[in-house]
Amino acid sequence: MNDAELPWEPWEVERELCNRSLWEYTKHAWNIAEPDRLVEGWHLQAVCEHLEAISRKQIRNLIICIPPRHTKSLEVAVVWPPWGWGPFNRPQTRCLCMCYCSGLGILDSGKWR
């Protein structure tokens, strides 16, 4: 069976994977938000799983305690909000992100847009 005979388009499969998994969405959206290469690690997958649990309303509160430069801000403030709007059909959801310095907030909000 060649590509012309497939009952679905390859991009539809990727879209469905991204809708089901924040981790898959992160891997696809990374190059749009960040020029550096994504270095995959178990900690990122764990953060994604916990953020998914918040989106599914399985948990209410989350504190992420990992060292600086481990993509906490990028994952939580840039990648997660738009992912939650799509698969959960919640375009009315608003996000408020707070940072310890204004520079980081401006940087992340710029990447988000």
Side-chain angles (χ1 to χ4, degrees):
M1 181 180 279
N2 61 27
D3 287 344
E5 298 171 357
L6 293 175
W8 35 260
E9 295 290 330
W11 63 267
E12 290 174 324
V13 174
E14 287 181 26
R15 182 179 66 187
E16 186 61 29
L17 284 172
C18 289
N19 283 342
R20 291 181 184 200
S21 167
L22 178 57
W23 176 237
E24 288 297 324
Y25 180 78
T26 299
K27 292 190 288 188
H28 280 81
W30 186 266
N31 292 333
I32 297 168
E34 183 64 34
D36 294 333
R37 180 179 66 85
L38 172 64
V39 178
E40 297 183 21
W42 67 268
H43 69 285
L44 273 180
Q45 292 177 9
V47 169
C48 287
E49 288 175 14
H50 284 80
L51 292 173
E52 282 181 33
I54 290 175
S55 295
R56 290 188 176 92
K57 298 183 179 184
Q58 296 168 337
I59 59 175
R60 288 180 46 111
N61 301 311
L62 177 65
I63 296 175
I64 301 171
C65 296
I66 53 178
R69 309 279 310 151
H70 280 75
T71 69
K72 292 181 300 288
S73 296
L74 191 65
E75 188 65 45
V76 175
V78 177
V79 178
W80 179 47
W83 179 80
W85 294 332
F88 297 98
N89 195 22
R90 296 180 191 149
Q92 74 282 1
T93 302
R94 295 181 182 185
C95 298
L96 174 65
C97 295
M98 293 177 271
C99 303
Y100 66 91
C101 70
S102 62
L104 183 60
I106 291 168
L107 181 69
D108 285 347
S109 64
K111 289 180 180 182
W112 190 12
R113 282 187 238 133

